[in-house]
Amino acid sequence: ARRSNAPTATLDLLDAGCGSGSYLSALKDDVGSAVGLEFNEKMIEKASEKLPGVEITQGTVTDLPFADGSFDCVLTTQVLHHLQRDGIDDFSNVATAASEVFRCLRPGGAWIVQTQTPEQRE
């Protein structure tokens, strides 16, 4: 796949699993547009308070409520390890999330993944 070389200031960013908005807060002024997605209502409240004017949408990375090709970059920070199925370590939901992320990425877009190690989970 060919990677986009568009200037950062023109990129449309989705922070999928944005939590309280810490990463969005750090990145919002460096990209063209920033959108947050969060499942937890209390975290949405915190992110909305921290980031007035930034769209924070309720939803899940396994069923993204965005059109195909909506973003140049999707960020998932400390999200994938929460995608257990039925409370057990069956992470087939990660494949569903990956499919959704790639659906929402534009050609040449990037998915930035940061997660924890098994040691951090314990």
Side-chain angles (χ1 to χ4, degrees), residues 53-99:
V54 174
E55 177 186 344
I56 309 293
T57 300
Q58 186 170 29
T60 174
V61 69
T62 58
D63 187 19
L64 293 171
F66 305 104
D68 296 1
S70 295
F71 301 99
D72 299 296
C73 182
V74 175
L75 173 67
T76 53
T77 304
Q78 300 291 339
V79 171
L80 298 183
H81 61 274
H82 291 290
L83 299 180
Q84 295 176 332
R85 186 180 297 269
D86 299 324
I88 59 172
D89 284 345
D90 169 7
F91 291 97
S92 57
N93 279 338
V94 174
T96 302
S99 180

Side-chain angles (χ1 to χ4, degrees), residues 27 29 92 97:
L27 294 169
D29 295 329
S92 57

Side-chain angles (χ1 to χ4, degrees), residues 7 10 16 18 20 25 30 35 39 43 48 52-53 58 75-76 79 81-82 84-85 98 102 105 110 115 117 119 121:
T10 67
C18 68
S20 66
S25 180
D30 295 324
V35 174
F39 182 76
M43 287 296 170
S48 297
Q58 186 170 29
L75 173 67
T76 53
V79 171
H81 61 274
H82 291 290
Q84 295 176 332
R85 186 180 297 269
F102 288 118
L105 279 173
T115 193
T117 66
E119 292 80 16
R121 286 184 43 216

Side-chain angles (χ1 to χ4, degrees), residues 97-113:
S99 180
E100 278 293 280
V101 167
F102 288 118
R103 178 186 65 75
C104 289
L105 279 173
R106 294 186 181 119
W111 180 16
I112 300 170
V113 177

